[in-house]
Amino acid sequence: MDKITIIVPCFNEQEVLAALYEKLQRVISTVSGCEFTYLFINDGSKDGTLNIMRDLSKRDRRVSYLSFSRNFGKEAAMLAGLDYADGDAVIIMDADLQHPPELIPEMVEYWRQGYEDVCAKRKNRNDESFMKKHLTRIFYDILECGSKVPLQRNVGDFRLLDKRCVGALRLLREEQRYTKGMFTWIGYKKKEIFFVPQPRMAGKTTWNYWSLINLALEGITSFTTVPLRLTSLLGLFVSFVAICYMIYVFFGALIYGDPVAGYPTMLTVLLFLGGVQLLSLGIIGEYLGRVFNESKQRPIYIVDEYNQKKLFYDGQRPVREKP
Ligand code: UDP
Ligand code: MG
């Protein structure tokens, strides 16, 4: 009997959680030879999400849940899921039914054929605005040119991972997480299957443009050092132009004895160089901030409750025993 754990990070999902559970129940009953367990992660929800999880786990012994002490973000919630899952494979999916559970039998099928990472790829981005579509493309282009591993495009977090992948992912404990990149980074045998993303069933998305831009910056700066390289190149380029201009000005003054002070040119050059320097400093600062954050070596999430039991932390190591 294969054991598969379904990991669902949830943040204010009280409207959809029960529906998701019902739907999953229906789907998994069609998969033979598999024993499914659920692992819900309550990422500091402000609504009744945790109570629904408690109820479900009381009713159904296959349901476990984790509750964070505050909102740590989806990336942290996914890591917690991977840490606490104990199946032969895990399936990560969103709570809002945008990831159709109907895909699960197909995923399991491929897993049995020997694929270790079966991920669902969005078929179209028609539901997204023109701008979002193109921004996403540019983002992927930048990431790709900076990292040595080919990236999977338009792949969400909806995927089945073999326990070997899970073990590998547990090793990656950086605080600034870009999980999508990590899936690629660990390697293993991958298979992409296609799906049409569903509209959110209820509730509203927690992502807006600002947080998407942040996520993109996070992805770029935590995954590649391209911006640093670009700064060096920019510096080189500006210095080169500056030398050419210097020669031009110098000989202009020597030969023609040009007496004009050239205040506008001066100001332009000054401001331009100032801008370039600030930009470069900013980019360096961005990386320095990351180093600073990582160097604190904080835990990535704090678990408050696990399956009806309050967890506590004892000294350095979090207590992780099963209730
Ligand atoms: N989520 C989370 N913590 C957060 C934000 C979101 O665990 O801080 C969960 C959320 O409950 C959902 C999934 O991550 O299950 C995807 O979130 P959402 O649907 O808001 O994102 P989108 O589908 O728009 O990318
Ligand atoms: Mg969603």
Side-chain angles (χ1 to χ4, degrees):
M1 204 68 155
D2 299 321
K3 255 187 92 181
I4 300 183
T5 310
I6 301 177
I7 299 174
V8 188
C10 303
F11 176 55
N12 295 342
E13 302 283 7
Q14 64 177 6
E15 285 100 346
V16 289
L17 203 54
L20 173 80
Y21 171 75
E22 295 302 331
K23 197 153 181 199
L24 279 172
Q25 285 287 74
R26 247 178 293 136
V27 171
I28 63 176
S29 62
T30 64
V31 183
S32 59
C34 264
E35 194 187 321
F36 284 89
T37 53
Y38 301 92
L39 177 56
F40 294 114
I41 293 107
N42 172 35
D43 184 13
S45 301
K46 297 262 187 301
D47 61 2
T49 304
L50 179 58
N51 284 330
I52 297 176
M53 289 179 185
R54 285 188 184 127
D55 285 351
L56 285 176
S57 88
K58 265 187 208 142
R59 263 193 4 228
D60 184 345
R61 58 167 190 85
R62 292 171 305 173
V63 175
S64 0
Y65 69 88
L66 269 177
S67 182
F68 286 175
S69 58
R70 66 169 170 86
N71 178 257
F72 281 89
K74 186 187 174 190
E75 308 281 322
M78 285 196 288
L79 177 70
L82 296 174
D83 282 345
Y84 280 74
D86 56 358
D88 299 311
V90 304
I91 292 172
I92 306 178
M93 64 189 303
D94 283 1
D96 53 12
L97 284 167
Q98 273 182 308
H99 294 160
E102 291 81 5
L103 244 61
I104 290 179
E106 198 184 340
M107 285 178 155
V108 173
E109 197 46 52
Y110 280 115
W111 175 57
R112 286 182 170 151
Q113 284 174 20
Y115 291 100
E116 281 146 331
D117 178 355
V118 186
C119 57
K121 189 171 172 140
R122 275 187 291 263
K123 214 178 220 157
N124 56 352
R125 280 184 167 265
N126 286 348
D127 56 321
E128 290 174 350
S129 67
F130 179 82
M131 184 142 119
K132 194 169 170 190
K133 235 189 301 200
H134 284 263
L135 283 180
T136 329
R137 219 205 55 227
I138 295 172
F139 164 67
Y140 280 124
D141 284 345
I142 297 179
L143 262 193
E144 199 140 68
C145 86
S147 58
K148 312 234 162 9
V149 278
L151 274 177
Q152 300 172 290
R153 292 185 179 219
N154 292 341
V155 193
D157 298 319
F158 184 23
R159 58 177 71 221
L160 181 148
L161 294 160
D162 187 72
K163 62 168 180 279
R164 299 208 294 152
C165 295
V166 175
L169 286 167
R170 282 180 192 153
L171 297 175
L172 309 184
R173 306 211 71 89
E174 59 245 57
E175 192 173 332
Q176 277 116 30
R177 307 184 68 74
Y178 180 62
T179 312
K180 241 181 253 183
M182 294 178 181
F183 293 136
T184 322
W185 188 88
I186 58 164
Y188 290 112
K189 216 169 147 203
K190 298 195 186 306
K191 174 82 191 167
E192 288 176 355
I193 59 177
F194 290 91
F195 80 106
V196 182
Q198 309 298 312
R200 217 174 197 293
M201 194 181 138
K204 63 177 192 315
T205 174
T206 45
W207 301 103
N208 49 34
Y209 268 112
W210 180 236
S211 63
L212 280 179
I213 288 174
N214 268 334
L215 188 73
L217 281 181
E218 194 77 52
I220 291 170
T221 44
S222 68
F223 216 62
T224 80
T225 45
V226 171
L228 286 178
R229 176 72 44 83
L230 286 182
T231 335
S232 316
L233 291 179
L234 184 67
L236 211 64
F237 174 73
V238 171
S239 308
F240 177 74
V241 174
I243 288 176
C244 293
Y245 189 62
M246 195 179 77
I247 293 172
Y248 167 77
V249 171
F250 187 69
F251 283 101
L254 267 191
I255 296 166
Y256 304 107
D258 186 7
V260 184
Y263 175 74
T265 341
M266 197 100 121
L267 201 64
T268 319
V269 169
L270 212 71
L271 289 180
F272 174 68
L273 283 185
V276 168
Q277 280 169 9
L278 280 184
L279 179 74
S280 318
L281 268 182
I283 292 174
I284 296 171
E286 196 66 41
Y287 282 93
L288 189 65
R290 250 145 250 279
V291 175
F292 168 68
N293 278 336
E294 293 301 339
S295 70
K296 288 192 274 194
Q297 301 227 320
R298 294 195 176 163
I300 294 155
Y301 55 86
I302 300 284
V303 181
D304 175 41
E305 188 178 323
Y306 179 52
N307 288 350
Q308 327 282 352
K309 284 220 168 112
K310 294 275 178 200
L311 281 199
F312 62 94
Y313 286 78
D314 187 12
Q316 290 279 301
R317 306 285 319 154
V319 176
R320 242 196 74 180
E321 82 246 27
K322 299 264 154 89

